[in-house]
Amino acid sequence: MSPWLETSTIGPHLKNMVINYGQEKIKNNHKLTIMLRLKYKLLSFLPVCALAIMPMACTEEQNLAQPDNNQEELEPAVSFTGSMNSPSSRTSGKYGKIDATNLGITFYWTTNDHEHMYINRGTDTSPIWERASKVSFTDKDATTHSANASFRFKGKYENKQYTMLYVGGDQKQSSKSKLYVDFARIQKQTSLDDGELANSGDCGVAKTTCDYYNKKGKGWGYHGDRHTFKLEHKAAYVTFMPYNPRGHMDNTYFVSAQIEAKESLYGKFPFTEKGVDVSKRPLHQNKVTLNLATKGMGNGLPIASNKEDAQKHAGIMVLPPGKYTDVLVKFIIKDHSTGKRFDVKKPYPVLNLETGMNQPIFCRLEVVDFTPSFNYYSMWGAEDPYYTLDAKAPHNWNKNATGIPAPEDERWPHDGDTRWYSEDEDAPAGVLTDDAFTINDASYILAKDCYWDEDYLWAFDGHLQKGALWVPIISKGHATALDGKDWASIPSTKSKTAISDEEHPIVGYYPLPLIGRYVDGALVEVGTAGYYWINRADPSSADSKAYYLKVTKTGVSIHHDGNKEWGCTPFTGDIRP
C-alpha cells in the first residue's frame, strides 16, 4: 500500500462509533472538528436509529427545502424514527480528527433526506417501495442538519419489522418494484463544511423495529404507529487530504480531485437490501470528479503545511464499493488570484474500496517555497536590500503573478541612499552581492548540461509558479574560467541550451526558479526569467554594469552588461529553504 493511502474503517453501530484505523481501535466521543453539513429536505422521523459511519449527501444552501410542519396528509402516515444520539445513525457527514493519529466521519440527517428514503410495503420477493413524504428534525434548534429526525410514510405499517433503503442520486429510473442508486460523475462540496453526498450516490440499508409502548386508550403493545431503525451505509468513501511541508501556499487552494480507473466508477446500480449490485456495473464510466470550489461558493479547501493539519479539512467522494485497478488519483490546486491551475497525479495499481469504509488518501506536495529569496533582491553591491522595513516591498501582484507594479510613492532605491549600487569592481564586504559566486567560479555552471523541468511547482510570496531550470552544482576557488581565461578582466557572455525532453538528474543538480528582477521599482518577468548577480563588475563598464546569471526555459547564460540599478538576488547556488 502506498504511504499516502491509509484506511479508516467505520463501524455501523450505536452510541460510540468504533473506528478501525490502521492497527488501532478507538472510540469516537463526538470530538470531530470538521463537519460536512449535508443539506437536504427533511424526512419525518423520530430519534432512535443508527447509521453506518460514512459521508452523506447535501444540497446547496440556497436550494434547501425546509420542513413543512403544516403539510396536510391525504392518507394516514406513520413515523419511522432515526436516532441521532449515535454517530452511527447520521446521514450527513462530519469529517475530522478524532485524535492525533486517527480520522473519522459521522453523519447527520438533513433537509432533503426524505427524497432518498424508501420503505418496503410488500415482501422480500415482491417489494413495493414507498418513498417518504416528509422529514422533521426532532432536535429543537436544528435547521439544516440534525442528530435526530423523523420520517413519515403514507399508509399503515402494522408489522414488527420493515426494510428501509436510503438511495442516493437521481431517482428517475427507480420504481415501486426496483430501486437504483445513481453515483454521480461530477460531485460537489461547496465549502469547508457543506457537501452533497446524497446527490453523489450515498446509500444505506435499515431494518426497522416496531416500538412497544403504552398508548392512551389502548394500553401497552405494538401499535404499529411508532418505529425505529438502524441505517448501515452501503457505499464506499474516499477522503482527499493534500499538504505541503515545504512551505506556505497562502493564495493556493485544493479545488478538485479526480479518480480514474479501469473499472466504471459512476452511473446507475441496482440497489436492494443486500446493498449495491456491482455485478451490474455500467461500462466505460471510468472517471469521477469532486469539485471543491464552485463560483460564488468559496475557493476550495486550504492546503495545510503538515499532515496533522491536513486532517482538519477533507474532500469526500462517494463511490460504488469494489476492487479497482490501474487507478490514477489527481489533486488539482489553483491560485485564485492568477487563475493558474496545476495537478498532482498519484497512480495506484489496485484500490480496494470496501462497503461502509472510508479510504483516506493523503498527498504530500513537494512545492518548494522560495519566498525567503523575496527579501534578498538588491542593486549590485548595495549595502541594503532593494526594499527594507522602512521602505516596504509592495505585494500587489498583477493578474498573472508575473510581477508587481512600482509603488506610486517611488520608494524604490535612489542615488545617495544605502540601497544604491556600488561602483566598485568587486562587491564590498558584507553586502548581499558579496555572497555571490565570482565570475570565474560561476562560469563552470556552463560546463555541464542543464535541464528544463516544465512540471516543477514552486511558491513565491504566496503564489504558485510552474517550471524551473536544473543546473549543476559548482565549487569555488577557480583562478580562471572554464575556457582557461580570466573573465574578471575580459568581458564575456556565454550560454548553454537547456535539455527539455529528458528526465533531469537529481544528484549533483538543483533547481533555479525564474524569480525575475526589479526595474525602476517594479518586479518583472517572474515565471519568465530569473536574474542573479555575480560578484564582479563588467570589465568594460565597471562603474555602472556587472555580471549576472540568467535562467529561462531555453537555458542558462552569463552576461557582463547587467545594469547595476536592477534589483536581483545573488547567485549563491541552491536557494531552496
Side-chain angles (χ1 to χ4, degrees), residues 182-188 199-201 257-259 265-267 284-291 317-319:
D182 187 5
F183 292 94
R185 180 177 66 89
I186 304 295
Q187 303 181 14
K188 289 193 294 183
N199 295 337
S200 300
Q258 292 181 347
I259 290 186
L265 290 157
Y266 69 92
H284 312 304
Q285 298 183 164
N286 308 97
K287 183 167 69 173
V288 174
T289 298
L290 171 64
N291 287 328
M317 183 181 286
V318 185
L319 296 172

Side-chain angles (χ1 to χ4, degrees), residues 244-533:
N244 184 48
R246 302 297 296 270
H248 295 286
M249 302 175 69
D250 296 339
N251 296 303
T252 304
Y253 292 83
F254 174 33
V255 297
S256 182
Q258 292 181 347
I259 290 186
E260 189 172 356
K262 185 177 180 180
E263 296 75 20
S264 290
L265 290 157
Y266 69 92
K268 296 185 184 299
F269 292 71
F271 189 63
T272 68
E273 62 181 277
K274 296 180 180 180
V276 181
D277 185 355
V278 294
S279 69
K280 302 295 193 298
R281 191 180 294 273
L283 299 176
H284 312 304
Q285 298 183 164
N286 308 97
K287 183 167 69 173
V288 174
T289 298
L290 171 64
N291 287 328
L292 301 166
T294 304
K295 187 175 181 180
M297 296 298 292
N299 292 326
L301 303 184
I303 298 174
S305 59
N306 57 69
K307 189 174 182 179
E308 181 179 355
D309 288 345
Q311 300 173 21
K312 295 178 180 178
H313 304 295
I316 300 181
M317 183 181 286
V318 185
L319 296 172
K323 179 180 179 179
Y324 297 92
T325 58
D326 298 334
V327 177
L328 181 64
V329 177
K330 186 184 295 185
F331 290 77
I332 299 170
I333 56 180
K334 180 179 180 180
D335 184 336
H336 285 283
S337 60
T338 66
K340 293 180 180 179
R341 294 167 63 100
F342 307 100
D343 61 65
V344 178
K345 299 174 182 178
K346 297 288 183 181
Y348 300 98
V350 177
L351 188 61
N352 286 308
L353 299 180
E354 298 184 29
T355 300
M357 291 186 67
N358 170 38
Q359 175 65 77
I361 299 182
F362 290 89
C363 181
R364 177 189 170 106
L365 304 176
E366 294 294 341
V367 180
V368 176
D369 185 8
F370 286 101
T371 299
S373 294
F374 190 81
N375 300 316
Y376 298 150
Y377 292 96
S378 73
M379 289 188 173
W380 190 93
E383 291 183 29
D384 291 320
Y386 200 87
Y387 286 107
T388 64
L389 293 177
D390 294 327
K392 295 183 183 298
H395 295 271
N396 54 319
W397 287 80
N398 60 20
K399 183 177 180 180
N400 296 319
T402 59
I404 300 174
E408 293 182 0
D409 62 3
E410 299 186 3
R411 60 181 179 271
W412 59 86
H414 295 281
D415 190 5
D417 69 38
T418 57
R419 297 176 293 149
W420 194 249
Y421 67 82
S422 168
E423 296 183 1
D424 296 342
E425 292 184 345
D426 294 311
V431 304
L432 287 171
T433 315
D434 183 40
D435 293 332
F437 283 106
T438 65
I439 181 55
N440 287 330
D441 288 336
S443 70
Y444 285 86
I445 201 170
L446 307 174
K448 295 182 179 180
D449 290 328
C450 59
Y451 299 82
W452 174 250
D453 185 348
E454 181 68 29
D455 297 323
Y456 186 82
L457 296 179
W458 50 284
F460 193 57
D461 197 34
H463 294 283
L464 198 61
Q465 304 286 344
K466 186 177 182 181
L469 191 73
W470 287 77
V471 296
I473 295 174
I474 59 176
S475 58
K476 295 182 176 181
H478 298 89
T480 59
L482 81 166
D483 60 2
K485 300 177 181 179
D486 181 12
W487 289 11
S489 57
I490 303 173
S492 302
T493 296
K494 303 285 184 181
S495 63
K496 186 83 171 183
T497 302
I499 297 173
S500 58
D501 56 354
E502 295 181 14
E503 187 172 344
H504 62 78
I506 299 295
V507 177
Y509 279 77
Y510 60 90
L512 274 181
L514 281 53
I515 56 175
R517 56 177 170 164
Y518 278 103
V519 178
D520 294 330
L523 184 60
V524 297
E525 295 184 78
V526 176
T528 301
Y531 293 81
Y532 297 87
W533 285 131

Side-chain angles (χ1 to χ4, degrees), residues 10-78:
I10 300 186
H13 305 295
L14 303 179
K15 294 188 177 178
N16 287 323
M17 159 176 84
V18 176
I19 295 182
N20 300 321
Y21 190 79
Q23 307 238 341
E24 298 181 14
K25 287 188 177 180
I26 61 166
K27 290 186 176 180
N28 172 9
N29 293 316
H30 303 165
K31 294 179 180 177
L32 300 183
T33 55
I34 301 169
M35 182 184 69
L36 291 178
R37 294 175 303 172
L38 310 181
K39 301 181 177 172
Y40 314 102
K41 300 178 181 177
L42 276 232
L43 314 176
S44 238
F45 265 82
L46 298 177
V48 177
C49 95
L51 292 181
I53 307 149
M54 290 275 99
M56 278 302 284
C58 31
T59 57
E60 295 181 10
E61 190 161 351
Q62 61 266 39
N63 295 328
L64 291 185
Q66 296 299 323
D68 182 5
N69 294 323
N70 299 316
Q71 181 177 341
E72 239 184 80
E73 296 288 353
L74 300 181
E75 55 181 287
V78 177

Side-chain angles (χ1 to χ4, degrees), residues 82-99:
S83 172
M84 294 311 175
N85 296 325
S86 162
S88 56
S89 60
R90 304 169 187 179
T91 60
S92 62
K94 177 176 178 179
Y95 180 86
K97 185 174 67 172
I98 294 175
D99 63 25

Side-chain angles (χ1 to χ4, degrees), residues 111-162:
T111 55
N112 73 339
D113 277 340
H114 65 288
E115 297 176 355
H116 302 280
M117 187 69 81
Y118 294 82
I119 194 167
N120 184 8
R121 300 183 65 177
T123 65
D124 290 344
T125 55
S126 299
I128 301 174
W129 294 106
E130 180 76 27
R131 188 158 70 174
S133 60
K134 186 178 180 182
V135 63
S136 299
F137 290 158
T138 57
D139 293 344
K140 183 176 65 174
D141 298 324
T143 55
T144 61
H145 61 282
S146 174
N148 301 276
S150 179
F151 294 79
R152 293 186 66 80
F153 293 88
K154 295 176 181 179
K156 294 182 179 181
Y157 296 87
E158 298 178 343
N159 295 342
K160 289 186 178 180
Q161 187 176 80
Y162 291 90

Side-chain angles (χ1 to χ4, degrees), residues 1 4-10 54 105 236-241 315 351-354 357-362:
M1 182 174 287
W4 312 127
L5 211 58
E6 300 175 37
T7 301
S8 178
T9 303
I10 300 186
M54 290 275 99
I105 303 173
Y237 310 86
V238 177
T239 47
F240 303 90
M241 291 163 284
L351 188 61
N352 286 308
L353 299 180
E354 298 184 29
M357 291 186 67
N358 170 38
Q359 175 65 77
I361 299 182
F362 290 89

